[in-house]
Structure formats: structure tokens, C-alpha cells
Amino acid sequence: MSFLSATLSRVKPSPTIAMTAKAAELRAAGRDVIGLSAGEPDFDTPQNIKDAAVAAIAAGKTKYTAPDGIPELKQAICAKFTRDNGLDYAPAQVSVGTGGKQTLYNALMATLNPGDEVIIPAPYWVSYPDMVLLAGGTPVPVETSLENRFKLTAEQLEAAITPKTKWFIFNSPSNPTGAGYSWDELKALTDVLMRHPHVWVMSDDMYEHLAYDGFQFCTPAQVEPGLYERTLTCNGVSKAYAMTGWRIGYAAGPVELIAAMRKIQSQSTSNPCSISQWAAVEALNGTQEFLAPNNEMFKRRRDLVVDMLNQIDGLTCPTPEGAFYVYPSIAGLIGKTTPAGTVIDSDEAFATVLLEEADVAVVFGAAFGLSPNFRVSYATSDAALTEACTRIQRFCASLK
Ligand SMILES: Cc1ncc(COP(=O)(O)O)c(C=O)c1O
């Protein structure tokens, strides 16, 4: 009998982290690898946020806190939901965790029983299905299409719902496609959910502030107030405020669910880092002025990457609404052979040879549940993006 648990055997390690590690390994060996696989902004945490953390340390705010967040942060989160989303939550409806990841995980751990199904539009953020499996539930991926710009349709959602469905996980703008749902597109989904009162909604709004070309972000409980009582609205400071290492995420929803999540957190990690919580108070209450110039920069990079990738024969790259990812299809390259003789028979093979033969690290689509594609993270400099896309162009042109 294995020493390791049966649950663990159902879960795979994060492929995005694996790809980033492989690129780092090649770099350490002296290769000039350009990494387009990391899911974090390339700029530093804004100074006012860092200052707030330093001040918290100086003031001795370095002890255990309430398990799911200090009152000051919960207040700042409630104010954020009112300001940005028109959603009213009381502090008792808010849970703060160690990254957005922990709040999502707590919610699944708190609610899933064996046999419970969780609908996850594909391609999806790699952690959703594995977190569902760890919590004992059954992930139900539903494949979207490039033709529909990677967005789930009302018909697809309707067809996926069964009496066993517990949650529908919704992520807009999306990792890995950048696809953002308009109000009308989301309303079509919430109309379906209104017909199925047993289904709860987990909305992962992590990329809310990263949206371009005037895209108006919206979230399910805002679009359909009738879902408020069965929606967990999740967000965090990691991406918009360049705070991935600080590990603060949060969620708001019905008091009973929040209390259950608190119980799990209090018996696992206790509270998120006290200093990071004070930094997050400043992130949410302080100036938001840097968001607009950052978005200008991301939009420029998105357009650069989409343009250069679409010049490649056999590759199709839609222009997404937000986040910092694009998810091109390589359907037109499948079956071709590299100069070294490797046949590109899958997106995993494509990403592997692209790294080995062209020194560019991307993540293959199968990791996100929709093939044949790959994910490019454009959260890196214009110069690195231009060079990386030139290498991808050259590599694809060399395929026979
Ligand atoms: C869609 C999505 N949700 C949640 C997270 C988790 O964020 P955090 O670093 O705050 O745990 C990520 C991070 O990559 C993400 O892409």
C-alpha cells in the first residue's frame, strides 16, 4: 500500500509552474530562454503599498490576526465591492485568505461531498479541477470554442447542469484565454442559473482590473441580483496590484458559507500574513492611479503579440478583452515536422520543441483543458515579447 493518500493520486502538479521551472533550468545552463509562461505582472508592487507594509512592521502588527482577516481589511473589501461592483456585503460576509487560491480552495473544501459536480468552462485555470478533486468532488469541464472566443454559451451551461451540480465556476477575464464576458453574455448564463436554484456560483474575478478597449467588467451577483444568495464573489490583490508574493485573496458571499470557510482556514493556515493584510488595506483604499497606465502598457503588449502571432501561417489568435494572456490555436500546424525531425502531434509536443529548439517557454493547451492551443503570458517587456514572437515565427516557418 502506498504511503501517499488516494486523493493525492488523482491530482497532478501545476503544469504552468513545471514549465516555468524547466525554462529556469535551461537558463541556468546558459541558454537565452524567453519565458512567456509565468502568470504574474513583471512590474513591482506600488511604493505606497510597500510603505504600508513597512509601517505595519514598525507598529508591531506582526501577531496572529482573526482567522479570516482583520476588520480594517474586511471594511476595505466591502468598500471595494460597493465602489467597483455595486455589491453590498457586510464584513461578516467576507473571508480573507492566503491568496485567491486559498479562498477558492476553502470554499470547495467546505461544500463538496463525493459525487458533487462542479462545472468548469474549458480552457480553465489549471487549479480548478485539481482543487475540486482534492475536495472530493467531480470536475465537469465543458469545452468552449475559438469560434465563440472561448466563451461558454447558455445552451452549453444548460446541458451541463445535472441534479448533482453543486457549483458553476465562472472566470472573466479568463486565465488562460483573456476572454471577458460582456453584461449580455453573462446575463445569458445567469438566466440559465436562475432556472436551477440548486447550483451555486463561484465567480473568480481575479483579473477584474485588467481589461482593455473599454471592456466593462461585470460579475454574476451584479448582473443577476437573484443569484446573490448563492454566489461567492472571489477576488484578490495579486494581479492588479502586482502582489503575487504577498498572498492575499478574498471572497464574499452568504454568512453561513463564509463561516464554514473560516472553520477550515482556522484549522489549516490560521490567518493570512498580518503584514500583507495591512499592505492589502492600502492597495484597496489607496490610490488606484497606476491601474490605467498599466492597462495601457498591457494593451500595447497584447496588440503586439496578437499581431505578430497572426502573421504565422497555421496559427490563429483572437484578441481577448483582458487579463495578460492570449491563447492561440495551432490547429494548422498539427502533423508538421521540425528540422530536427520531431513531429508536432499535439500542443504539448509543440511547447516542448519550441522550448528546446527555439528557446521560448509557453504552456501547452492540454494543461488548460482545450487543445490544440498554447498560452502566452504577455506580462513581460516589449523587447522580450518582440524577440519571443520573432522566434516563434521563425520556428513555425521552419516546420515542414
Ligand atoms: C484565474 C485565477 N484565479 C486565481 C488565481 C490565484 O491567485 P493568487 O495568487 O492570489 O492565489 C490565479 C493565479 O494565477 C488565477 O489566474
Side-chain angles (χ1 to χ4, degrees):
M1 197 181 84
S2 168
F3 172 67
L4 301 175
S5 72
T7 306
L8 191 73
S9 69
R10 306 174 71 193
V11 173
K12 59 184 182 321
S14 161
T16 43
I17 293 174
M19 207 63 192
T20 307
K22 193 164 177 194
E25 210 175 278
L26 288 176
R27 226 176 269 124
R31 294 262 293 271
D32 168 31
V33 172
I34 303 180
L36 303 180
S37 58
E40 62 183 352
D42 58 321
F43 48 85
D44 204 359
T45 307
Q47 193 59 45
N48 62 311
I49 299 174
K50 291 196 215 177
D51 290 344
V54 172
I57 295 174
K61 291 168 174 166
T62 53
K63 304 286 172 60
Y64 289 131
T65 71
D68 61 359
I70 55 175
E72 291 83 352
L73 182 50
K74 290 193 174 191
Q75 279 296 351
I77 291 165
C78 293
K80 174 257 170 297
F81 278 124
T82 307
R83 176 179 74 225
D84 296 341
N85 312 113
L87 288 172
D88 285 327
Y89 288 112
Q93 292 179 277
V94 172
S95 183
V96 183
T98 300
K101 204 175 231 176
Q102 192 187 17
T103 49
L104 298 165
Y105 185 67
N106 287 345
L108 294 169
M109 287 298 284
T111 54
L112 291 182
N113 289 310
D116 285 347
E117 295 175 355
V118 179
I119 296 174
I120 306 173
Y124 42 70
W125 179 44
V126 289
S127 294
Y128 298 140
D130 289 295
M131 289 197 292
V132 168
L133 289 168
L134 275 174
T138 305
V140 178
V142 182
E143 286 193 7
T144 63
S145 67
L146 183 132
E147 291 67 37
N148 203 40
R149 299 171 53 79
F150 305 116
K151 294 178 201 178
L152 192 73
T153 64
E155 295 70 32
Q156 286 181 300
L157 178 58
E158 183 77 60
I161 293 173
T162 75
K164 290 180 177 172
T165 307
K166 194 134 205 183
W167 286 102
F168 165 54
I169 299 186
F170 177 74
N171 174 219
S172 162
S174 144
N175 178 3
T177 65
Y181 289 66
S182 68
W183 186 284
D184 289 347
E185 286 165 341
L186 180 49
K187 183 73 170 58
L189 299 183
T190 59
D191 283 351
V192 173
L193 293 162
M194 287 304 286
R195 291 197 288 275
H196 299 276
H198 67 291
V199 179
W200 281 57
V201 186
M202 187 176 287
S203 184
D204 183 351
D205 301 350
M206 188 55 81
Y207 294 93
E208 166 180 16
H209 292 300
L210 301 168
Y212 320 116
D213 299 331
F215 172 76
Q216 291 293 317
F217 171 84
C218 53
T219 188
Q222 172 190 27
V223 168
E224 178 47 82
L227 289 174
Y228 178 88
E229 288 300 334
R230 51 185 168 108
T231 297
L232 186 68
T233 305
C234 307
N235 211 317
V237 294
S238 296
K239 311 285 174 166
Y241 302 94
M243 292 176 69
T244 46
W246 300 74
R247 312 306 304 131
I248 296 291
Y250 55 86
V255 170
E256 198 188 343
L257 172 60
I258 295 296
M261 290 164 62
R262 177 165 60 239
K263 197 169 174 185
I264 292 192
Q265 187 155 296
S266 71
Q267 296 294 21
S268 52
T269 59
S270 295
N271 57 275
C273 170
S274 61
I275 301 152
S276 297
Q277 289 190 63
W278 284 103
V281 170
E282 175 60 21
L284 296 178
N285 285 349
T287 174
Q288 309 289 305
E289 266 170 14
F290 59 92
L291 292 176
N294 279 349
N295 279 0
E296 274 307 305
M297 181 180 68
F298 277 137
K299 174 191 150 47
R300 192 182 64 237
R301 292 170 173 179
R302 178 201 65 176
D303 292 345
L304 183 160
V305 170
V306 168
D307 187 46
M308 287 188 75
L309 293 179
N310 274 327
Q311 288 169 21
I312 299 171
D313 270 348
L315 202 147
T316 315
C317 186
T319 304
E321 290 82 2
F324 38 65
Y325 309 105
V326 294
Y327 198 67
S329 161
I330 55 159
L333 299 175
I334 294 294
K336 295 200 170 194
T337 307
T338 71
T342 310
V343 178
I344 310 268
D345 56 3
S346 66
D347 51 30
E348 182 164 6
F350 176 84
T352 305
V353 281
L354 188 67
L355 180 57
E356 282 166 2
E357 298 180 24
D359 287 334
V360 178
V362 298
V363 186
F364 54 91
F368 306 102
L370 191 77
S371 291
N373 293 67
F374 64 97
R375 186 191 77 172
V376 166
S377 164
Y378 55 82
T380 188
S381 72
D382 291 27
L385 290 171
T386 306
E387 173 60 20
C389 290
T390 305
R391 290 183 192 179
I392 299 174
Q393 286 178 342
R394 228 183 284 132
F395 172 76
C396 293
S398 75
L399 302 174
K400 291 279 173 305

